[in-house]
Amino acid sequence: MKTNLKNIGLLALATIVFASCTNNENSTPTPPTAANFMAIKEQGVKKNTQSFTATAGAGLITLTSAKGVTIKLDGNALTKNGNPVTGAIDIKFIELFDKGNMLITNKPTMGVMPDGKKSLLKSGGEFFIKASQGGVDLVSTGVIQLQVPVNLTGTMDTGMTFWAGDTTDADNLAWVNPRNAAGTGGQKDGNVGFGQNSYNVTFGSFGWTNVDKFYSDPRPRTTILAAVPTGYDNTNCAIYLSYDGEGQNALAKLDTYNPTTKQFSEHYGQIPIGLACHVIFATEDNGNWRYAIKAVTVQAGDIYTFTLAETTVGTEAQLIAAINAIQ
């Protein structure tokens, strides 16, 4: 009798465990909050941030980044609250050369055209630099220089120019060219020179900078839309585009959302018809990334729909690898 009761108890326990596992596997994930989605993007920024200590007031400061970028700034041309700075300072630096890291930091390569619309840029590197002392941001009144190895993004392209990060919309960083767009919220001076094996970038203000040129395609253009699963919108997910055959240094984003149709849009009509590309859905899931990658060939007025069944949950490193594997 005891044996039978024991067996019945074990069978009941096994049934409960099995049911629990089955329910977990089939359960619908809860969409993340806006704060959770913002946090995972901030985690991507933190992962890509390099920290240096230097001395202000003692002449030229020269640093070398993890990827081999040479950073130079005039340590005698730094001010804090309008006053010259001396002594130890902290320098933060970010360098992005591949679309995987551009995605996890939410820093796509979308440039503002002279008419105010946005179109895809091909990048020779995205950079962020700032200096501080005692937690107070410093201002540069001199020249900041970056010597960027060309082989980090391919071969020398003399069509590259200087672009500055417009941070007016904090969640949709846009790149403005001081030669053809006024822009607000970012530095507007700067230049790109061409060394034997490097882009030599000069500018005057801390913040985001980019070495870029517009993606060129003679085909007719269209606007595309993307629909996401129920419970997801522009506060807790994002849609990106990776153009096939364009290497690692370009990433577009569908940066507008219609709450009525619940669709993301590339509303500028700049996507070439016939383009082979991958559409990417990205969101947060319990501290990891949930994502889906859809291979498509663009037709006029396409609408791409993502379902949760198409998504995968992975770590930051797994998402970067998956995005960079797109060719």
Side-chain angles (χ1 to χ4, degrees), residues 40-275:
I40 202 167
K41 292 181 288 185
E42 290 175 348
Q43 178 179 302
V45 170
K46 183 177 180 179
K47 177 253 184 189
N48 278 283
T49 301
Q50 302 171 46
S51 299
F52 301 91
T53 300
T55 302
L60 183 68
I61 296 171
T62 302
L63 307 166
T64 303
S65 77
K67 295 285 188 180
V69 174
T70 300
I71 308 158
K72 295 182 179 180
L73 60 152
D74 186 353
N76 295 331
L78 299 173
T79 63
K80 180 170 67 173
N81 298 324
N83 300 311
V85 176
T86 59
I89 61 172
D90 298 310
I91 296 175
K92 301 293 185 184
F93 184 71
I94 298 172
E95 53 187 352
L96 302 174
F97 297 101
D98 64 86
K99 54 195 175 187
N101 280 291
M102 292 173 184
L103 190 152
I104 67 164
T105 56
N106 190 35
K107 299 297 181 288
T109 55
M110 297 295 287
V112 178
M113 299 188 295
D115 61 4
K117 296 180 179 180
K118 295 179 186 177
S119 189
L120 179 70
L121 296 168
K122 296 183 65 175
S123 178
E126 297 180 332
F127 309 97
F128 175 82
I129 183 170
K130 83 168 185 176
S132 63
Q133 186 181 66
V136 178
D137 288 350
L138 306 182
V139 172
S140 172
T141 59
V143 175
I144 304 168
Q145 298 174 288
L146 302 177
Q147 187 175 29
V148 185
V150 168
N151 61 11
L152 292 172
T153 50
T155 57
M156 177 68 72
D157 188 337
T158 56
M160 293 289 186
T161 59
F162 175 86
W163 295 73
D166 186 335
T167 56
T168 305
D169 180 349
D171 199 45
N172 286 300
L173 172 70
W175 300 102
V176 293
N177 187 324
R179 294 167 183 79
N180 62 20
T184 57
Q187 55 180 307
K188 302 299 172 285
D189 57 330
N191 187 62
V192 175
F194 306 98
Q196 184 174 358
N197 299 301
S198 64
Y199 297 119
N200 299 323
V201 191
T202 57
F203 50 98
S205 304
F206 292 126
W208 282 99
T209 63
N210 202 338
V211 178
D212 270 301
K213 64 179 287 187
F214 275 119
Y215 169 78
S216 178
D217 192 311
R219 290 174 289 189
R221 306 296 179 98
T222 188
T223 297
I224 63 173
L225 302 171
V228 295
T230 300
Y232 293 84
D233 56 27
N234 61 322
T235 69
N236 62 7
C237 73
I239 301 289
Y240 299 92
L241 292 179
S242 173
Y243 290 20
D244 290 5
E246 295 304 323
Q248 298 295 333
N249 54 333
L251 184 72
K253 184 181 182 183
L254 275 62
D255 64 347
T256 59
Y257 178 77
N258 186 324
T260 301
T261 63
K262 299 184 178 180
Q263 293 172 331
F264 286 81
S265 174
E266 184 287 316
H267 65 293
Y268 304 106
Q270 292 297 312
I271 307 299
I273 296 173
L275 174 74

